[in-house]
Amino acid sequence: MRTLEVALAERSYPIHIGAGLLDSFPLAEQVRGNQVMIVTNETIAPLYLDRLTAQCSGLQCDTLILPDGEKFKNLNTLETLFDALMAKRHSRTTTLIALGGGVVGDMVGFAAACYQRGVDFIQVPTTLLAQVDSSVGGKTAVNHPRGKNMIGAFHQPRLVLIDTDVLATLPERELAAGYAEVVKYGLIRDPAFYRWLETNNDRLLSREPEALSEAIYRSCENKAQVVAEDETEQGNRALLNLGHTFGHAMETATGYTHWLHGEAVAAGMVMAVHMSARLGWLGPELESKLSTLLTTWKLPVTAPEGMTPEQFMDLMALDKKVQNGQLRLVLLRQLGEAVVTADYDPRALRQTLEAFCGV
Ligand code: NAD
Ligand code: GLY
């Protein structure tokens, strides 16, 4: 087992990473009270729930199995969770445990932020995306019909437990979507890691456990550093959004049914790199190398068919990074050095959108 720390003074917590931790990590010892509620979904429960409940003997251990899917990441599902906590008389010293991907993790985290004005929670992420991104950093939320992740809170977990073995059952497309976020860390702040990813791509594609474990460790290390420096995204945490402004526009334009989030991020990162090159900040090589790398994972590297530059502009105007009417974008000054800026030539943005929409 390898351990990292998210250093946030009294809210600091460890991230434990290792094979087989669901069976071997003494989870009950990390719980402050004597009650836990493990929340998961109907896909993950038959695979892993028993193994986690076995770690909680000696505690009042209740479980809740939610339906699977982003469309259930809403206030109605949260209500079901609060009902279960009340029915089983969970007190302020209870601990909620999220066993699942980012959907379960974000929802359970937000429930923990709200229940009795805040209780402990533990993340046990089971997708690559959740292991390298969403389980670390305390962003929690549910969706509103008018917008994704619009109702939420910053609430840090007490512990993140990453069992790398669970990736064995993850569908290929979900693994690739998580891989896009892994590449992101290399691009924005860790060029040595980016090169490591290029060199070890075949090992990662074939799910070699040591390679996956190293990629997860180095991703979490980067994320933990960013979060420790800027917990509530007043500054550099926004750099984690490389490719996301373009990506969100593509997700919205395609009704959230065409592409997974990580797939849209993949194409969005290529667009951000392309635009950085148009601005003269990067040479052309990175875009072609990145596209080649992402394509080996069957990730998209261009805009969805039929999408227009005008559609992009309309949708990007709603981005959370818009300030005083100006669209700030995460761009690369060079490999490993990202900036969030509105100080770019708008023609480079327009030309980028045209190039990716095939206009
Ligand atoms: P997800 O939670 O929907 O999981 C993807 C699919 O994989 C689901 O069907 C799930 O049941 C299944 N699954 C999970 N683990 C499995 C396993 N080990 N074996 C087999 N199947 C498994 O999707 P996700 O990509 O993990 O998360 C996406 C969510 O994360 C979005 O809601 C997004 O907003 C959120 N997110 C949050 C943050 C954050 O910082 N909080 C960051 C990025 C994304
Ligand atoms: N996933 C972006 C963040 O945690 O800030």
Side-chain angles (χ1 to χ4, degrees):
M1 180 174 95
R2 295 168 86 189
T3 298
L4 289 158
E5 189 190 50
V6 184
L8 289 168
E10 71 286 353
R11 290 186 308 291
S12 297
Y13 55 94
I15 305 169
H16 298 302
I17 303 165
L21 292 187
L22 273 184
D23 298 314
S24 63
F25 186 81
L27 192 64
E29 289 171 19
Q30 304 300 317
V31 171
R32 286 202 277 208
N34 63 357
Q35 296 176 305
V36 294
M37 170 73 79
I38 305 176
V39 184
T40 188
N41 75 24
E42 62 205 1
T43 306
I44 301 153
L47 297 169
Y48 303 115
L49 182 57
D50 283 353
R51 288 162 62 185
L52 205 56
T53 48
Q55 296 302 323
C56 298
S57 60
L59 302 170
Q60 176 193 329
C61 177
D62 296 305
T63 59
L64 180 66
I65 299 172
L66 300 173
D68 186 357
E70 179 80 31
K71 69 172 188 278
F72 299 105
K73 187 178 152 182
N74 57 32
L75 287 170
N76 292 341
T77 308
L78 221 52
E79 183 112 12
T80 313
L81 175 44
F82 293 137
D83 284 347
L85 288 164
M86 300 284 285
K88 300 286 184 180
R89 298 178 185 278
H90 281 252
S91 72
R92 274 191 103 167
T93 56
T94 189
T95 296
L96 310 193
I97 302 179
L99 172 67
V103 168
V104 169
D106 277 14
M107 252 189 314
V108 173
F110 185 48
C114 301
Y115 187 65
Q116 302 212 20
R117 301 196 181 90
V119 296
D120 285 351
F121 89 109
I122 291 174
Q123 290 272 21
V124 186
T126 62
T127 61
L128 182 59
L129 181 134
Q131 295 187 344
V132 300
D133 188 359
S134 63
S135 68
V136 175
K139 277 192 183 176
T140 74
V142 293
N143 300 329
H144 184 275
R146 287 173 187 264
K148 199 164 139 68
N149 293 330
M150 288 308 279
I151 304 167
F154 284 97
H155 187 60
Q156 300 293 341
R158 270 184 60 72
L159 160 71
V160 181
L161 187 65
I162 300 178
D163 183 341
T164 51
D165 282 352
V166 302
L167 297 179
T169 55
L170 194 65
E172 197 178 313
R173 201 174 156 201
E174 296 290 349
L175 190 78
Y179 173 77
E181 303 282 1
V182 171
V183 172
K184 175 187 79 180
Y185 296 112
L187 290 171
I188 62 169
R189 71 194 303 280
D190 194 343
F193 181 40
Y194 184 79
R195 289 191 195 99
W196 183 91
L197 289 170
E198 285 185 327
T199 311
N200 290 278
N201 195 39
D202 289 344
R203 295 175 66 209
L204 290 164
L205 277 169
S206 59
R207 303 195 189 205
E208 203 183 285
E210 291 75 27
L212 276 177
S213 177
E214 180 66 13
I216 293 164
Y217 182 89
R218 292 177 75 166
S219 299
C220 287
E221 187 174 44
N222 276 292
K223 176 119 194 209
Q225 286 167 2
V226 172
V227 170
E229 284 162 19
D230 180 19
E231 184 181 7
T232 57
E233 201 167 310
Q234 306 304 308
N236 276 352
R237 186 163 178 171
L239 301 179
L240 296 173
N241 287 322
L242 177 73
H244 286 56
T245 304
F246 296 114
H248 283 154
M250 292 185 270
E251 282 183 283
T252 311
T254 53
Y256 291 94
T257 51
H258 189 58
W259 281 356
L260 299 174
H261 172 71
E263 293 173 332
V265 167
M269 289 192 303
V270 180
M271 294 179 78
V273 166
H274 177 97
M275 180 168 158
S276 306
R278 276 197 183 270
L279 290 164
W281 298 353
L282 290 173
E285 319 77 40
L286 184 60
E287 182 189 344
S288 76
K289 282 183 151 188
L290 176 64
S291 292
T292 306
L293 189 67
L294 297 174
T295 305
T296 63
W297 288 77
K298 302 189 185 120
L299 286 162
V301 293
T302 190
E305 221 175 289
M307 208 174 155
T308 63
E310 290 68 33
Q311 238 179 328
F312 264 104
M313 290 306 289
D314 283 350
L315 292 166
M316 293 198 306
L318 303 172
D319 190 83
K320 290 197 195 84
K321 285 185 295 304
V322 170
Q323 264 182 5
N324 306 322
Q326 285 200 302
L327 177 63
R328 295 184 310 143
L329 289 170
V330 182
L331 298 169
L332 292 192
R333 288 266 174 211
Q334 58 179 325
L335 174 62
E337 189 190 333
V339 286
V340 54
T341 183
D343 189 14
Y344 52 78
D345 182 346
R347 282 173 303 181
L349 174 57
R350 181 77 204 179
Q351 288 161 354
T352 299
L353 297 178
E354 288 175 357
F356 281 75
C357 293
V359 178

